Amino acid sequence: MEHEYSRYSEGLIPPRTERIMEMEQYARDHRVPIMQLEGMEALLQILRVQRPARILEIGTAIGYSAIRMAEALPGTEVVTIEREPAMQEKAEENIGRSSAEGRIRLVRGDALELGEGLPEGPFDALFIDAAKGQYRRFFDLYEPLLSGRGVIYCDNMFMHGLAAEDPTDIPRKNRTMIRKLKAFTEWLMAHPGYDSALLPVGDGLMISTKKESTEEGAVL
Ligand code: SAH
Ligand code: MG
């Protein structure tokens, strides 16, 4: 979603450290779908307000968002899951060079098939940014690991704008995935246990808070 105001607000974002900008360049060069800058900055800012002690990320890729979250939140632990061996290697390398190295743990494997290797909760934030057709399965499996004041963040809810298009205009190969992503979005928006809002930043960022948590008044 490229808008005039997007270009404007992206131009206002200060430069990142050299290592971070190297990762951004690497992602562009190798077509790694890391979070768009504007969406990343918005997520970091919301996380600074939430102040989670532990974050679970599904979908590490080269470690960009995991490193940015850990560097933005001193003291926060980030556990991140990645299934592709080539990505795991690159992520380990990048994590090893990060100032937040000791607070980021990479779990190697398919998030839907970890079995006994499932990370131990509780987590205050769950960030879902992996296979777009599987969001409901990630939610069902990992939502129980959330703490009482847990917040769920989901990236790519617009799927590069495809989610808002007429289904017949969507390339055939993407249709099933988009249908599943939209069904998940509608399901989550209507979930009785969660309040959700879909923020039109980056590629669409959904933020869902447990309803109990607002009763405790402990989210912020
Ligand atoms: N969060 C990253 C980008 C992740 S891209 C960032 O913004 O920097 C999505 C990643 O999810 C890909 O690397 C892909 O290999 C991984 N992935 C997809 N399905 C997965 C699954 N079931 N388990 C673990 N990783 C998965
Ligand atoms: Mg993403």
Side-chain angles (χ1 to χ4, degrees), residues 148-196:
R149 60 190 195 100
V151 181
I152 301 176
Y153 302 90
C154 298
D155 187 36
N156 303 102
M157 300 305 269
F158 292 159
M159 210 46 231
H160 315 290
L162 289 180
E165 278 188 24
D166 190 312
T168 52
D169 292 340
I170 296 171
R172 207 165 272 280
K173 64 176 177 20
N174 293 329
R175 277 187 205 165
T176 304
M177 182 261 291
I178 298 286
R179 187 170 41 73
K180 287 171 94 172
L181 185 69
K182 286 174 78 166
F184 169 75
T185 308
E186 284 162 21
W187 174 83
L188 184 52
M189 288 297 294
H191 196 301
Y194 280 85
D195 288 307
S196 297

Side-chain angles (χ1 to χ4, degrees), residues 33-35 129 132 135 155-156:
I34 64 168
M35 261 196 120
D129 191 21
K132 310 307 164 200
Y135 274 27
D155 187 36
N156 303 102

